Amino acid sequence: MNKKQKKMLTRIIIAFVLIAVLSVLPVDGYLEFALYMIPYLVIGYDILIKAFKGIRNKQVFDENFLMAVATIGAILLKDYKEGTAVMLFYQIGELFQSYAVGKSRRNITELMDIRPDYANIENDGKLEKVDPDEVEIGSIIVVQPGEKVPLDGVIVEGTTTLNTSALTGESLPRSAKPGDEIISGCINMTGVLKIRTTKEFDESTVSKILELIEESSSRKSRSENFISKFARYYTPAVCYGALALAVLPPIVNLVILHNPAMWSQWIYRALTFLVISCPCALVISIPLSFFAGIGGASNAGVLVKGSNYLETLSETKYVVFDKTGTLTKGVFEVAGVHHNTMEQSKILEYAALTESFSSHPISRSLKTAYGKEINQNRVTDVEEISGNGVTAKVDGTPVAVGNVKLMKRIGVEAVECHQVGTVIHVAIDGAYAGHILISDVPKPTSKDAIANLKKNGIKETVMLTGDIDRVAQQVAGELGVDRVYSELLPADKVSKVEELLAKKSEKEKLAFVGDGINDAPVLSRADIGIAMGAMGSDAAIEAADVVLMDDDPMKIVKAIRIAKKCMRIVYENIYFAIGIKVICLILGAVGIANMWVAIFADVGVMVLAVLNAIRTLFVKRL
């Protein structure tokens, strides 16, 4: 609890004790009135001040005005205990709501703590703390154990483990070594790192995350906008309705039916009507549900740019994926080594040594798969033949590594490979040794993500890629994607998404998931764009409506589940609050419900709705 909440709790306890004591004291008349005014003012003075300011500023009709009129009216009718109790329970509800909002806000403020306070620059052998905004691209910064990484960059010296939980929601630390890219906002846990910065602070990952969070509250959902408009018209309407209930029946009784007017009875019913009609449960719980939903999502490593996107995400029925970097790792890896006369490990060793002087992605994948330190002194007579491959001598033995053209060129018959991927043929000492299959492999969780999306109400999954159809069809089949479009240019992807948008119904939403700079136009065109954040380009993150802070496709499932849960709770609160209030308003108008029922209809319903709303904070692990 903060200082303000503790102060309110103290006031509630004092007022409650005073009411309890006065309930058993044998007092009446003016003394009773004077004594009850003490707890009433202790608990309600701020509500009375707000109501007075609202009247002065010509913004009369709000919950403060309703509470002031209802409680003052009850006191004037000599229902001192009920009038004071209404104010007490209203403040209990307000305290509860304040605590719930604070709990939701803490999830987001914990994420806001990723903003670094300083960056360490080495100057004459000493570390100097400077503002991250002052560090230029290409500077070398030092991050010590326990410190936040202040800027995006590449590790040039040191190994460590990184705590990325504030960014990705994952509790397991990640290892990092020289040459690895590192993003701001991580916490360095073990070793001392030297990092060459690649972005200024304003363009860094942590800065963009903070910007997204700050902007999220300004984008309201349809439900929030409806509740705001509803309250604007509803509150004046019930005030005029209460006035009519207090005045018209007594006049009809007196003038037309010639019965006693019974003013006090009808005024009491009107005051009860006012307490019941207070729209707190709706006005508080609906925005709180969305706020908690965004907070819970951010804690799970899913940044939603506004409650309107949370609402759209819950209505998603079609998910369209870019393939490379989204469903697949986006890097070449050795998928298999098929030998002819030599051991697999030996073929891989010869291929890695032969390709050791090349910086081609395929060469890097061969060296990574070999996994041992490469001694380039063993390699001589290296010749790179454009469009064919590389020839060299390894330990004096002639080796050729390349495609079928290279094998024909040196007079070696290559064995055909029927698997999908890039095939690298290897000939050693003039004889065919085997081939190595290299492919862009699917992410470990991609298949499970597709299956879980279908379990969560997604009608169809679609994959778009620039790859040849044979490769695309194999990946789609392996992952269980429903439909695939291959050999597409970036502009073709936009056209395909527009075709899919035209075919679906208006209530069904289409989400596109991508990570690259060429995905930005498609992310903007879809009903909702989802960007893979850790690898994703700045353009993709800027164009997207939802940003996943790591590259795990299962986060898409989590984001949709959070959105669906949030909207389910929003509608539960709307139906529950309105339903209870309508019933109690009718009972109050006919005299069945008294002020204590009114307190339940106002404070009780609000507390239950707020309790329901904060359920959106808690996200189950998949």
Side-chain angles (χ1 to χ4, degrees):
M1 278 192 176
N2 58 33
K3 191 175 179 181
K4 187 178 178 181
Q5 289 168 344
K6 287 177 181 177
K7 184 180 176 182
M8 176 55 71
L9 181 61
T10 303
R11 288 169 57 195
I12 288 169
I13 293 169
I14 292 170
F16 181 81
V17 171
L18 288 172
I19 292 170
V21 170
L22 290 173
S23 298
V24 296
L25 286 179
V27 292
D28 55 15
Y30 289 114
L31 180 59
E32 185 182 13
F33 167 76
L35 290 174
Y36 266 104
M37 287 305 293
I38 297 170
Y40 178 76
L41 291 174
V42 166
I43 197 62
Y45 72 87
D46 53 335
I47 300 297
L48 298 176
I49 291 169
K50 288 175 187 176
F52 175 73
K53 285 181 178 178
I55 295 168
R56 190 178 62 189
N57 297 329
K58 297 180 181 178
Q59 294 177 340
V60 178
F61 299 110
D62 62 9
E63 63 270 22
N64 298 306
F65 176 77
L66 293 182
M67 282 298 113
V69 171
T71 55
I72 291 171
I75 288 168
L76 292 175
L77 291 174
K78 298 184 179 181
D79 292 317
Y80 309 126
K81 185 177 178 180
E82 289 186 8
T84 309
V86 166
M87 190 66 82
L88 172 65
F89 284 108
Y90 176 76
Q91 292 285 41
I92 291 171
E94 287 291 294
L95 175 64
F96 196 86
Q97 175 257 332
S98 172
Y99 181 77
V101 170
K103 189 172 178 60
S104 303
R105 195 178 295 277
R106 276 195 296 277
N107 268 26
I108 293 180
T109 52
E110 280 171 13
L111 192 64
M112 297 289 269
D113 280 345
I114 61 177
R115 192 192 195 287
D117 300 315
Y118 60 87
N120 294 319
I121 299 287
E122 198 166 4
N123 194 358
D124 295 330
K126 294 182 180 179
L127 292 183
E128 181 184 344
K129 291 182 179 180
V130 299
D131 193 303
D133 287 310
E134 297 174 7
V135 180
E136 296 179 355
I137 295 174
S139 301
I140 302 295
I141 60 172
V142 179
V143 183
Q144 298 184 93
E147 291 184 334
K148 294 168 193 163
V149 177
L151 296 141
D152 294 4
V154 177
I155 299 173
V156 294
E157 188 180 312
T159 58
T160 189
T161 51
L162 298 170
N163 180 349
T164 63
S165 59
L167 298 175
T168 65
E170 298 298 328
S171 56
L172 291 175
R174 296 183 180 184
S175 58
K177 61 185 185 302
D180 288 352
E181 290 187 2
I182 189 167
I183 58 174
S184 50
C186 302
I187 296 174
N188 180 23
M189 294 175 67
T190 51
V192 177
L193 296 179
K194 288 189 176 181
I195 300 168
R196 181 183 293 107
T197 60
T198 55
K199 291 179 183 177
E200 293 180 348
F201 181 73
D202 286 346
E203 297 300 316
S204 66
T205 302
V206 67
S207 184
K208 287 189 176 293
I209 291 169
L210 296 175
E211 190 179 317
L212 294 181
I213 294 168
E214 286 161 4
E215 290 177 356
S216 66
S217 60
S218 63
R219 298 183 172 100
K220 303 293 183 186
S221 66
R222 293 191 304 272
S223 303
E224 282 182 284
N225 288 329
F226 163 75
I227 293 301
S228 297
K229 289 178 183 176
F230 175 80
R232 200 179 305 150
Y233 296 105
Y234 169 82
T235 308
V238 296
C239 286
Y240 291 128
L243 181 63
L245 188 63
V247 174
L248 293 181
I251 291 174
V252 169
N253 270 339
L254 188 64
V255 176
I256 299 174
L257 301 178
H258 304 294
N259 291 328
M262 297 185 294
W263 287 100
S264 62
Q265 178 185 326
W266 288 102
I267 290 172
Y268 180 84
R269 289 187 187 182
L271 296 175
T272 304
F273 187 91
L274 276 182
V275 176
I276 294 169
S277 64
C278 188
C280 298
L282 289 171
V283 172
I284 290 167
S285 68
I286 305 309
L288 177 61
S289 299
F290 284 110
F291 190 71
I294 291 172
S298 67
N299 200 39
V302 179
L303 295 183
V304 184
K305 291 186 179 179
S307 56
N308 55 330
Y309 301 124
L310 208 58
E311 190 168 30
T312 303
L313 191 60
S314 72
E315 298 167 351
T316 299
K317 294 296 179 185
Y318 300 88
V319 179
V320 181
F321 294 92
D322 174 57
K323 180 182 84 72
T324 307
T326 303
L327 291 174
T328 63
K329 292 183 178 180
V331 291
F332 286 107
E333 288 189 7
V334 171
V337 180
H338 305 274
H339 60 94
N340 189 15
T341 58
M342 188 177 287
E343 290 182 9
Q344 292 183 12
S345 59
K346 209 67 179 170
I347 293 172
L348 197 54
E349 180 183 356
Y350 274 111
L353 285 163
T354 303
E355 294 273 2
S356 63
F357 289 93
S358 174
S359 60
H360 191 278
I362 288 176
S363 304
R364 288 199 297 270
S365 67
L366 289 170
K367 288 179 274 190
T368 301
Y370 177 53
K372 299 176 183 177
E373 190 175 340
I374 291 175
N375 181 5
Q376 291 183 329
N377 293 326
R378 295 172 59 190
V379 187
T380 58
D381 300 340
V382 178
E383 182 184 359
E384 189 162 348
I385 304 166
S386 180
N388 286 249
V390 179
T391 61
K393 286 185 178 179
V394 177
D395 299 330
T397 303
V399 180
V401 179
N403 56 23
V404 175
K405 292 178 186 177
L406 181 63
M407 295 299 106
K408 286 181 180 178
R409 187 183 183 110
I410 62 172
V412 172
E413 186 177 348
V415 175
E416 189 178 350
C417 179
H418 297 287
Q419 290 180 271
V420 175
T422 301
V423 180
I424 306 298
H425 297 279
V426 182
I428 299 173
D429 202 13
Y432 188 74
H435 54 258
I436 301 168
L437 183 68
I438 294 177
S439 61
D440 180 12
V441 295
K443 292 178 181 176
T445 58
S446 291
K447 187 173 182 178
D448 288 340
I450 298 295
N452 275 280
L453 282 172
K454 291 174 183 176
K455 289 178 184 176
N456 282 274
I458 300 301
K459 283 186 175 180
E460 187 176 41
T461 53
V462 181
M463 187 177 81
L464 308 181
T465 179
D467 285 352
I468 60 171
D469 189 60
R470 191 162 60 98
V471 173
Q473 292 293 347
Q474 190 202 28
V475 172
E478 188 179 330
L479 299 181
V481 177
D482 297 317
R483 206 188 315 179
V484 60
Y485 297 98
S486 57
E487 300 178 35
L488 300 175
L489 297 172
D492 298 329
K493 291 181 182 179
V494 177
S495 301
K496 284 295 176 189
V497 166
E498 287 179 341
E499 281 180 30
L500 293 167
L501 286 167
K503 289 177 183 176
K504 69 176 183 60
S505 70
E506 192 176 336
K507 289 183 179 179
E508 296 175 328
K509 302 301 180 185
L510 180 143
F512 178 82
V513 188
D515 77 302
I517 192 164
N518 60 351
D519 295 327
V522 205
L523 287 165
S524 300
R525 184 64 192 89
D527 290 322
I528 188 156
I530 303 174
M532 293 285 192
M535 278 179 62
S537 70
D538 291 344
I541 292 172
E542 193 69 33
D545 308 310
V546 176
V547 178
L548 310 180
M549 286 315 300
D550 64 14
D551 299 310
D552 184 0
M554 286 297 282
K555 280 285 199 300
I556 303 161
V557 183
K558 185 168 281 188
I560 289 173
R561 283 178 57 177
I562 290 168
K564 285 180 178 291
K565 181 179 180 180
C566 180
M567 291 310 302
R568 185 171 66 250
I569 287 171
V570 165
Y571 288 122
E572 283 172 1
N573 281 347
I574 289 173
Y575 298 142
F576 173 70
I578 291 178
I580 294 294
K581 282 190 179 293
V582 167
I583 293 167
C584 291
L585 282 172
I586 293 168
L587 295 176
V590 298
I592 297 173
N594 60 15
M595 196 68 80
W596 295 104
V597 174
I599 289 170
F600 167 74
D602 176 31
V603 179
V605 170
M606 181 178 73
V607 169
L608 292 173
V610 167
L611 272 174
N612 197 32
I614 61 174
R615 285 172 50 223
T616 54
L617 273 173
F618 306 106
V619 181
K620 289 182 181 177
R621 291 193 175 273
L622 293 173

